């Protein structure tokens, strides 16, 4: 597609539930990133995929968070046993491997855990 | 510990004047820096970047300056316009080149 697409744009869930957030990167972009942005903070790095593999998952806060990219295109961020502190905007970005070192971001998925 | 710091949460400027947004970093190994702009309910959009081999990069009304010895960079917007009102984030790639590390952002308000 023309840009990075994220769904859903808004998700409200109850504490303890399981949530999946989807990212459809720009076609042909092999690098994909997940970030989390809390109120008043900058985007916080979670995980980076190069193709199908997670090249850097050092930003995942704990084992409740997991992300996959099985075919090297669409990625899903999965959060188990959600907690109120997980409430944030989850941003996805993609980048081409060649050329400028610039990440293109989607509009984000706003997660609210009640 | 914040590796990229934007110490001014907000900045107010009159239309036509210069806006100067500042950013400091702690890791001298960082070698590529970017500025992003963010409007409410949208993702950050790329504005301008600079490599550590340069000390200045200009694109229209936007200029980024890099002072490696001070580990400091700044974004100048001249002349400022009301449409520039947004949150501005400074970011740097980590040493491995696997993650872009962001500051907390500065909210710029340009009044007409």
């Amino acid at each position: 597609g023309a840009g990075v697409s994220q769904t859903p744009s808004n998700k409200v869930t109850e504490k303890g539930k399981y949530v999946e957030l989807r990212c459809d990167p720009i076609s042909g972009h092999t690098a994909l990133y997940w970030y989390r942005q809390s109120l008043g903070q900058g985007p916080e790095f979670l995980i980076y995929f190069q193709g199908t593999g997670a090249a850097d998952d050092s930003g995942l806060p704990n084992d409740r968070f997991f992300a996959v990219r099985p075919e090297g295109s669409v990625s899903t961020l999965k959060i188990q046993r959600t907690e109120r502190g997980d409430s944030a905007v989850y941003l996805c970005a993609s980048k081409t491997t060649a050329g400028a070192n610039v990440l293109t971001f989607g509009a984000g998925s706003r997660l609210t855990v009640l | 510990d914040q590796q990229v710091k934007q110490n001014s949460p907000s900045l107010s400027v009159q239309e036509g004047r210069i806006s100067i947004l500042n950013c400091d970093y702690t890791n001298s190994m960082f070698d590529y820096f970017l500025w992003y702009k963010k409007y409410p309910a949208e993702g950050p959009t790329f504005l301008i970047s600079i490599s550590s081999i340069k000390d200045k990069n200009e694109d229209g009304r936007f200029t980024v300056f890099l002072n490696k010895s001070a580990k400091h960079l700044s974004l100048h917007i001249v002349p400022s316009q009301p449409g520039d009102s947004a949150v501005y984030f400074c970011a740097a790639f980590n040493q491995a080149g696997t993650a872009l590390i962001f500051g907390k952002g500065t909210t710029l308000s340009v009044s007409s």
Side-chain angles (χ1 to χ4, degrees):
Chain A
V4 178
S5 176
Q6 291 189 246
T7 54
S9 55
N10 268 291
K11 175 73 177 178
V12 180
T13 190
E14 292 180 342
K15 180 174 177 294
K17 300 286 189 182
Y18 170 81
V19 163
E20 286 191 354
L21 306 174
R22 175 189 165 109
C23 173
D24 203 338
I26 292 172
S27 178
H29 280 194
T30 56
L32 184 145
Y33 302 77
W34 282 101
Y35 281 80
R36 174 169 73 174
Q37 186 174 15
S38 302
L39 201 61
Q41 304 294 316
E44 173 195 5
F45 170 75
L46 296 178
I47 187 168
Y48 156 60
F49 286 91
Q50 183 57 247
T52 59
D56 184 348
D57 65 358
S58 61
L60 293 177
N62 52 60
D63 61 5
R64 296 187 298 105
F65 288 75
F66 190 70
V68 295
R69 196 185 184 199
E71 296 174 2
S73 174
V74 171
S75 176
T76 305
L77 179 66
K78 308 180 180 200
I79 310 173
Q80 298 178 321
R81 304 183 304 280
T82 52
E83 299 177 358
R84 293 196 179 89
D86 298 336
S87 297
V89 176
Y90 289 82
L91 294 162
C92 177
S94 68
K95 180 174 82 69
T96 179
T97 314
N101 232 359
V102 173
L103 274 63
T104 302
F105 282 86
S109 293
R110 178 177 295 279
L111 174 66
T112 303
V113 181
L114 301 177
Chain B
D1 189 29
Q2 279 247 297
Q3 297 188 69
V4 177
K5 300 177 186 179
Q6 294 178 258
N7 293 319
S8 297
S10 63
L11 175 68
S12 294
V13 170
Q14 281 192 321
E15 182 178 9
R17 301 290 187 113
I18 184 171
S19 295
I20 300 176
L21 296 99
N22 293 303
C23 176
D24 298 293
Y25 59 96
T26 58
N27 191 331
S28 58
M29 299 300 290
F30 288 167
D31 61 5
Y32 195 75
F33 305 88
L34 301 88
W35 284 91
Y36 278 81
K37 180 167 78 170
K38 187 179 183 306
Y39 294 117
E42 295 183 11
T45 55
F46 170 71
L47 201 54
I48 193 169
S49 63
I50 189 165
S51 163
S52 61
I53 61 173
K54 293 185 171 183
D55 54 17
K56 177 182 173 180
N57 188 25
E58 193 171 352
D59 183 1
R61 297 186 296 114
F62 303 91
T63 303
V64 57
F65 295 91
L66 175 62
N67 182 333
K68 281 175 289 185
S69 60
K71 296 202 279 289
H72 177 83
L73 61 158
S74 61
L75 174 68
H76 292 211
I77 307 174
V78 183
S80 302
Q81 299 173 352
D84 296 331
S85 298
V87 180
Y88 289 78
F89 292 101
C90 172
F93 266 102
N94 64 356
Q95 280 179 253
T98 57
L100 197 54
I101 301 169
F102 284 83
K104 288 189 176 183
T106 297
T107 300
L108 174 66
S109 299
V110 180
S111 57
S112 54

